[in-house]
Amino acid sequence: MEKEEIKLFRVIFIISAVWNLIGSIFGYFNTAYTFNGFFDRELTDPLIHAIYQGAWGTTLVYFIGYSIVAYNPLKHAGIVIVGGIGKVGFAISLLKFHLSGLANSIVYIVIVGDFIFSLLFVYYFFRLYKTNHKII
């Protein structure tokens, strides 16, 4: 992979890290407000609060992971595999919530953003493969 392409992937992973940091700041540190914004209902159950906050805590971990990948995109593809699976899974779950009437349309911000990053990650793996770099 050429230096310019590595630079491009560094930028993509920095943007992905920031995307996850922004989401986790809202979701983890202002859990009830974010829950209300997504689902139009109050978050009063302490168990649901802990579970929902934990999901956003995972998003905070993604920030750390993508920051590590940005440092050396050729070395940390395993993090991208796990993160990409999580992004697709989270986006699908939010889509199912919306289609079943449980979440409002604001969730499409996360759905579209995570799918865009997932497509960029697929391109990243394609380029690793085409340039004979180890994926894991």
Side-chain angles (χ1 to χ4, degrees):
M1 206 177 289
E2 305 267 334
K3 286 183 182 181
E4 289 302 314
E5 194 168 28
I6 293 170
K7 195 174 182 180
L8 169 68
F9 286 121
R10 283 189 172 141
V11 169
I12 288 170
F13 288 113
I14 288 169
I15 293 168
S16 182
V18 170
W19 169 261
N20 284 277
L21 179 63
I22 291 168
S24 66
I25 286 171
F26 286 108
Y28 189 81
F29 297 106
N30 202 349
T31 308
Y33 178 81
T34 304
F35 185 88
N36 183 271
F38 276 23
F39 302 106
D40 289 329
R41 59 190 78 187
E42 296 298 316
L43 181 56
T44 56
D45 185 315
L47 177 60
I48 301 300
H49 186 281
I51 292 168
Y52 190 70
Q53 187 177 42
W56 285 109
T58 301
T59 303
L60 185 58
V61 172
Y62 284 26
F63 159 72
I64 296 166
Y66 294 132
S67 297
I68 292 168
V69 176
Y71 180 74
N72 187 347
L74 298 178
K75 185 178 179 183
H76 300 292
I79 293 172
V80 182
I81 291 171
V82 174
I85 291 168
K87 284 201 162 306
V88 170
F90 190 58
I92 289 171
S93 292
L94 287 177
L95 181 60
K96 286 171 32 181
F97 285 147
H98 179 72
L99 294 176
S100 68
L102 294 173
N104 64 40
S105 59
I106 195 84
V107 297
Y108 280 102
I109 294 170
V110 176
I111 293 168
V112 170
D114 278 359
F115 274 129
I116 289 170
F117 283 111
S118 297
L119 291 173
L120 291 169
F121 296 169
V122 167
Y123 176 68
Y124 161 76
F125 285 113
F126 173 75
R127 291 302 302 146
L128 285 178
Y129 175 77
K130 290 300 272 186
T131 58
N132 295 319
H133 284 86
K134 284 185 175 181
I135 292 179
I136 53 173

